[in-house]
Amino acid sequence: MAPTQPLSTSENCDAAVVAPWGTPVESSPMLGLVGLVLCLVPVDTLTAFPPKFQVGQLNEDVVVQCDTLEPHVSWTLNGEQEPMAELEAEGRNLTILGLDLPATGNYSCWAGPVLLDTTYVVVSGAREEEINVSCQAESYHGSFHCSWPGPPSVVFRARLTRSDGSLGPWVPVAGGHGRFNATLVDPSFCPFGEELRPLWLHLEGLSDTSYLSLSKHFFLRDIVRPDPPQELTLRWQGEQLHLAWAPPASWQRPTSYFVLLYHLQYELPNGTQVERFVEGMEETQVQVGARRVRISCRDPHTPLAWSPWSPWQDLDTPR
């Protein structure tokens, strides 16, 4: 967007009263104010994390720098050349006097019609609500998924401090229907070793006007929740009916080392449900008189993290 364009979509706005900061305005101050009020353009909602942003404190001065060698530049805020903010331009720097919410947004510096640099300015701490971040891993591969609720007007990014202490890159966060989701990977994670350091999840969020930051730490072993067992099959061994299954496809191998505890739930013809637990095996004799069965699993060392149930399996298999 060239800084010589008018602020408004209205063709009746006087372009002579719209000039970058530091550029003389030919019309009277009153005419300029009227033109500004009539031609204000609303700020677009953020759809992605800006590549460059700056966080300031409410009611404090903020200095924005234009990354250029040009000695003199002009500025716009959200495409507007005379925004409703108190600003002082000097060389490549722009000072926002007493940062408030109307002064937040996308600051662009220009050399004539050429865009040189942009910085998104927001207020720190304007959004203070708690964010309930839930993380879950399917196994010990070093990858996990996190989700949390939030308003659609916010964009997030996430990064991970890994188990070896190194800092991973920022990754984008997907959002929709009031929830945000991120998948992160620790390539240095060793599933066969003892976890000595927790993982640290770092989140940054931006709205049109404000900034938030939070961190959450955990051990991967504490967030492991397997997928359901798969490939349930029935077969007769003489007079006995046996149920066999396979571990989740996403579960760490070998299963002789990464043992799973299985929870079988049988349903009898009268609706009564009978429980049975099997550890380290993938086959068992079917409960006598049972009508159907389903199965869940977990790591024996994480007692609260049972997988979802598999679908019910009917047991009326003919011989």
Side-chain angles (χ1 to χ4, degrees):
M1 179 186 298
T4 56
Q5 294 176 343
L7 295 181
S8 170
T9 55
S10 170
E11 296 179 356
N12 297 325
C13 290
D14 186 356
V17 304
V18 183
W21 310 319
T23 303
V25 178
E26 298 177 2
S27 302
S28 68
M30 181 59 70
L31 180 59
L33 178 60
V34 172
L36 179 62
V37 172
L38 292 178
C39 302
L40 282 177
V41 178
V43 181
D44 292 333
T45 300
L46 285 172
T47 57
F49 220 91
K52 182 180 177 183
F53 70 96
Q54 190 167 337
V55 182
Q57 298 296 322
L58 190 65
N59 298 323
E60 294 187 6
D61 294 352
V62 175
V63 178
V64 182
Q65 295 182 332
C66 182
D67 187 11
T68 181
L69 297 178
E70 293 286 338
H72 301 289
V73 299
S74 58
W75 294 85
T76 60
L77 169 58
N78 300 322
E80 301 172 15
Q81 298 159 319
E82 284 192 354
M84 298 181 67
E86 195 171 352
L87 309 163
E88 288 184 354
E90 183 177 353
R92 304 183 188 95
N93 294 342
L94 177 73
T95 301
I96 307 169
L97 302 176
L99 179 66
D100 57 9
L101 296 185
T104 59
N106 195 43
Y107 285 81
S108 301
C109 57
W110 305 79
V114 179
L115 177 62
L116 302 173
D117 193 18
T118 61
T119 302
Y120 206 94
V121 176
V122 290
V123 174
S124 174
R127 193 180 293 274
E128 297 181 354
E129 67 267 19
E130 289 289 328
I131 297 180
N132 183 21
V133 180
S134 174
C135 296
Q136 180 178 311
E138 298 171 344
S139 186
Y140 295 97
H141 298 292
S143 63
F144 60 94
H145 174 81
C146 295
S147 66
W148 59 94
S153 58
V154 178
V155 294
F156 283 94
R157 65 178 182 176
R159 75 189 311 182
L160 183 65
T161 299
R162 301 161 175 161
S163 53
D164 63 357
S166 63
L167 192 61
W170 287 107
V171 298
V173 172
H177 306 290
R179 291 202 68 84
F180 294 88
N181 302 277
T183 299
L184 296 106
V185 179
D186 179 3
S188 65
F189 186 83
C190 177
F192 297 95
E194 182 181 358
E195 282 188 272
L196 301 177
R197 293 193 188 96
L199 303 172
W200 280 87
L201 171 68
H202 309 282
L203 295 178
E204 287 187 329
L206 285 179
S207 71
D208 293 335
T209 59
S210 58
Y211 167 85
L212 64 86
S213 175
L214 63 91
S215 296
K216 177 184 177 72
H217 69 279
F218 47 83
F219 288 97
L220 190 73
R221 61 176 179 261
D222 293 331
I223 63 168
V224 169
R225 187 190 186 202
D227 287 331
Q230 57 180 350
E231 300 175 10
L232 273 67
T233 57
L234 292 164
R235 61 186 179 88
W236 288 93
Q237 290 186 356
E239 297 297 320
Q240 296 179 343
L241 181 61
H242 282 243
L243 175 71
W245 60 87
S250 57
W251 188 247
Q252 191 78 35
R253 279 8 181 220
T255 54
S256 58
Y257 185 87
F258 297 96
V259 177
L260 283 169
L261 174 65
Y262 296 97
H263 178 194
L264 286 80
Q265 189 176 77
Y266 296 97
E267 186 177 272
L268 303 180
N270 63 2
T272 302
Q273 292 183 345
V274 180
E275 315 285 333
R276 185 177 181 186
F277 297 90
V278 177
E279 182 173 342
M281 296 186 294
E282 295 163 12
E283 183 174 343
T284 187
Q285 183 179 338
V286 171
Q287 172 82 23
V288 175
R291 185 169 64 89
R292 59 179 187 169
V293 64
R294 62 180 181 175
I295 185 170
S296 177
C297 64
R298 67 169 172 85
D299 184 329
H301 304 291
T302 55
L304 299 180
W306 285 101
S307 77
W309 287 106
S310 69
W312 283 105
Q313 173 79 41
D314 291 332
L315 298 178
D316 55 353
T317 302
R319 297 187 60 173

